[in-house]
Coordinates of all heavy atoms in Angstrom, one line a residue:
E685 N -0.2 -5.4 13.6 CA 1.2 -5.8 13.5 C 1.8 -5.8 12.0 O 2.9 -5.3 11.8 CB 1.4 -7.3 14.0 CG 1.2 -7.4 15.5 CD -0.3 -7.6 15.8 OE1 -1.2 -7.4 14.9 OE2 -0.6 -7.8 17.0
A686 N 0.9 -6.1 11.1 CA 1.3 -6.1 9.7 C 1.6 -4.7 9.2 O 2.6 -4.4 8.5 CB 0.3 -6.8 8.8
I687 N 0.7 -3.8 9.5 CA 0.9 -2.4 9.1 C 2.1 -1.8 9.8 O 2.9 -1.1 9.1 CB -0.4 -1.6 9.4 CG1 -1.5 -2.0 8.5 CG2 -0.1 -0.1 9.3 CD1 -2.9 -1.3 8.8
D688 N 2.3 -2.1 11.0 CA 3.5 -1.6 11.7 C 4.8 -2.1 11.1 O 5.7 -1.4 10.9 CB 3.4 -2.0 13.2 CG 4.6 -1.4 14.0 OD1 4.7 -0.2 14.1 OD2 5.4 -2.2 14.5
Y689 N 4.8 -3.4 10.8 CA 6.0 -4.0 10.1 C 6.3 -3.3 8.8 O 7.4 -3.0 8.5 CB 5.8 -5.5 10.0 CG 6.9 -6.1 9.2 CD1 8.1 -6.5 9.8 CD2 6.8 -6.4 7.8 CE1 9.2 -7.1 9.1 CE2 7.9 -7.0 7.1 CZ 9.0 -7.3 7.8 OH 10.1 -7.9 7.1
I690 N 5.2 -3.2 7.9 CA 5.4 -2.6 6.6 C 5.9 -1.1 6.8 O 6.8 -0.7 6.1 CB 4.1 -2.6 5.8 CG1 3.8 -4.1 5.5 CG2 4.3 -1.9 4.5 CD1 2.4 -4.3 4.9
S691 N 5.3 -0.4 7.7 CA 5.6 1.0 7.9 C 7.1 1.2 8.3 O 7.8 2.0 7.8 CB 4.7 1.7 8.9 OG 5.1 3.0 9.2
T692 N 7.5 0.3 9.2 CA 8.9 0.4 9.7 C 9.9 0.0 8.6 O 10.9 0.7 8.5 CB 9.1 -0.5 10.9 OG1 8.1 -0.2 12.0 CG2 10.5 -0.4 11.5
S693 N 9.6 -1.0 7.9 CA 10.5 -1.4 6.8 C 10.6 -0.4 5.7 O 11.7 -0.1 5.2 CB 9.9 -2.7 6.2 OG 9.9 -3.8 7.1
L694 N 9.5 0.3 5.4 CA 9.5 1.3 4.4 C 10.3 2.5 4.9 O 11.1 3.2 4.2 CB 8.1 1.7 3.9 CG 7.3 0.7 3.1 CD1 5.9 1.2 2.9 CD2 8.0 0.6 1.7
M695 N 10.1 2.9 6.2 CA 10.7 4.1 6.7 C 12.2 3.8 6.8 O 13.0 4.8 6.6 CB 10.2 4.3 8.1 CG 10.7 5.5 8.8 SD 9.8 6.0 10.3 CE 9.9 4.4 11.3
R696 N 12.7 2.6 7.1 CA 14.1 2.3 7.1 C 14.7 2.0 5.8 O 15.9 1.7 5.7 CB 14.3 1.1 8.1 CG 14.0 1.4 9.5 CD 14.1 0.1 10.4 NE 13.9 0.4 11.8 CZ 13.8 -0.6 12.7 NH1 13.9 -1.8 12.4 NH2 13.6 -0.2 14.0
R697 N 13.9 2.1 4.7 CA 14.3 1.8 3.3 C 14.9 0.4 3.2 O 15.7 0.0 2.4 CB 15.4 2.7 2.9 CG 15.0 4.1 2.3 CD 14.3 4.9 3.3 NE 14.0 6.3 2.8 CZ 13.3 7.2 3.5 NH1 12.8 6.9 4.7 NH2 13.1 8.4 3.0
S698 N 14.4 -0.6 4.1 CA 14.8 -1.9 4.0 C 13.8 -2.9 3.4 O 14.0 -4.1 3.4 CB 15.2 -2.4 5.5 OG 14.0 -2.4 6.3
Y699 N 12.7 -2.3 3.0 CA 11.6 -3.2 2.4 C 12.1 -3.8 1.1 O 12.6 -3.2 0.2 CB 10.4 -2.4 2.2 CG 9.2 -3.3 1.8 CD1 8.4 -4.0 2.7 CD2 8.9 -3.5 0.4 CE1 7.4 -4.8 2.3 CE2 7.9 -4.3 0.0 CZ 7.1 -5.0 1.0 OH 6.1 -5.8 0.6
S700 N 11.9 -5.1 1.0 CA 12.2 -5.9 -0.2 C 10.9 -6.7 -0.7 O 10.4 -7.4 0.1 CB 13.3 -6.8 0.0 OG 14.5 -6.1 0.2
P701 N 10.5 -6.5 -1.9 CA 9.4 -7.3 -2.4 C 9.7 -8.8 -2.4 O 10.8 -9.2 -2.6 CB 9.2 -6.8 -3.8 CG 9.9 -5.4 -3.9 CD 11.0 -5.5 -2.9
Q702 N 8.6 -9.6 -2.2 CA 8.8 -11.0 -2.2 C 8.6 -11.5 -3.7 O 8.0 -10.8 -4.5 CB 7.7 -11.6 -1.4 CG 7.8 -11.2 0.1 CD 6.7 -11.7 1.0 OE1 6.0 -12.7 0.6 NE2 6.4 -11.0 2.1
P703 N 9.2 -12.7 -4.0 CA 9.1 -13.2 -5.4 C 7.6 -13.3 -5.8 O 6.7 -13.6 -5.0 CB 9.7 -14.6 -5.2 CG 10.6 -14.5 -4.1 CD 9.9 -13.6 -3.1
L704 N 7.4 -13.1 -7.1 CA 6.0 -13.2 -7.6 C 5.6 -14.7 -7.8 O 6.5 -15.5 -8.2 CB 6.0 -12.5 -9.0 CG 6.3 -11.0 -8.9 CD1 6.4 -10.5 -10.3 CD2 5.2 -10.2 -8.2
R705 N 4.3 -15.0 -7.6 CA 3.8 -16.3 -7.9 C 3.3 -16.3 -9.4 O 2.6 -15.4 -9.8 CB 2.6 -16.6 -7.0 CG 3.0 -16.8 -5.5 CD 1.9 -17.4 -4.7 NE 0.8 -16.5 -4.7 CZ 0.5 -15.6 -3.8 NH1 1.4 -15.4 -2.8 NH2 -0.5 -14.8 -3.8
M706 N 3.7 -17.3 -10.1 CA 3.4 -17.4 -11.6 C 2.2 -18.3 -11.8 O 2.2 -19.4 -11.2 CB 4.6 -17.9 -12.4 CG 5.9 -17.1 -12.2 SD 5.8 -15.4 -12.8 CE 7.5 -14.9 -12.6
F707 N 1.3 -17.9 -12.6 CA 0.2 -18.8 -13.0 C -0.3 -18.4 -14.4 O -0.1 -17.2 -14.8 CB -0.9 -18.8 -12.0 CG -1.6 -17.5 -11.8 CD1 -2.8 -17.2 -12.5 CD2 -1.2 -16.6 -10.8 CE1 -3.4 -16.0 -12.3 CE2 -1.8 -15.4 -10.6 CZ -2.9 -15.1 -11.3
E708 N -1.0 -19.3 -15.1 CA -1.5 -19.1 -16.4 C -3.0 -18.6 -16.3 O -3.8 -19.2 -15.5 CB -1.4 -20.3 -17.3 CG -0.1 -20.6 -17.8 CD -0.1 -21.7 -18.8 OE1 -0.7 -22.8 -18.5 OE2 0.5 -21.6 -19.9
V709 N -3.4 -17.7 -17.2 CA -4.8 -17.4 -17.4 C -5.1 -17.6 -18.9 O -4.1 -17.5 -19.7 CB -5.2 -16.0 -17.0 CG1 -5.0 -15.8 -15.5 CG2 -4.4 -14.9 -17.7
F710 N -6.3 -17.9 -19.3 CA -6.6 -18.2 -20.7 C -7.6 -17.3 -21.3 O -8.1 -17.5 -22.4 CB -7.1 -19.7 -20.8 CG -6.1 -20.7 -20.4 CD1 -5.9 -21.1 -19.1 CD2 -5.2 -21.1 -21.3 CE1 -5.0 -22.0 -18.7 CE2 -4.2 -22.1 -21.0 CZ -4.1 -22.5 -19.6
E711 N -8.0 -16.2 -20.5 CA -9.0 -15.2 -21.0 C -8.5 -13.8 -20.8 O -8.0 -13.5 -19.7 CB -10.3 -15.4 -20.4 CG -11.0 -16.7 -20.8 CD -12.3 -16.9 -20.1 OE1 -12.9 -16.0 -19.6 OE2 -12.8 -18.1 -20.1
P712 N -8.6 -12.9 -21.8 CA -9.1 -13.2 -23.1 C -8.2 -14.0 -24.0 O -8.6 -14.5 -25.0 CB -9.2 -11.8 -23.7 CG -8.2 -11.0 -23.0 CD -8.1 -11.5 -21.6
K713 N -6.9 -14.3 -23.5 CA -6.0 -15.1 -24.3 C -5.0 -15.7 -23.3 O -4.9 -15.3 -22.2 CB -5.3 -14.3 -25.4 CG -4.5 -13.1 -24.8 CD -4.0 -12.3 -26.0 CE -3.3 -11.0 -25.4 NZ -2.8 -10.2 -26.5
R714 N -4.3 -16.8 -23.7 CA -3.4 -17.4 -22.9 C -2.2 -16.5 -22.6 O -1.6 -15.9 -23.4 CB -2.8 -18.7 -23.5 CG -1.8 -19.4 -22.7 CD -1.3 -20.6 -23.4 NE -0.3 -21.3 -22.6 CZ 1.0 -21.0 -22.5 NH1 1.4 -19.9 -23.2 NH2 1.8 -21.7 -21.8
R715 N -1.9 -16.3 -21.2 CA -0.8 -15.5 -20.8 C -0.4 -15.9 -19.4 O -1.1 -16.5 -18.7 CB -1.1 -14.0 -20.9 CG -2.4 -13.6 -20.1 CD -3.0 -12.3 -20.6 NE -4.2 -12.0 -19.9 CZ -4.4 -11.0 -19.1 NH1 -3.5 -10.2 -18.8 NH2 -5.6 -10.8 -18.5

């Protein structure tokens, strides 16, 4: 179902990315 949904959305040019989740990492440096 997931592959079918993604395929259809891309084919119709209606696919929209979801907001990114933000988090901190500290290696090799804080970012």
Side-chain angles (χ1 to χ4, degrees):
E685 292 84 354
I687 289 177
D688 183 62
Y689 174 82
I690 295 170
S691 177
T692 302
S693 299
L694 289 171
M695 184 169 56
R696 293 175 177 172
R697 277 64 172 176
S698 61
Y699 185 83
S700 293
Q702 299 173 25
L704 298 170
R705 295 191 295 269
M706 308 289 189
F707 62 93
E708 280 187 314
V709 296
F710 296 90
E711 294 180 14
K713 57 187 176 183
R714 181 184 178 276
R715 55 200 174 115

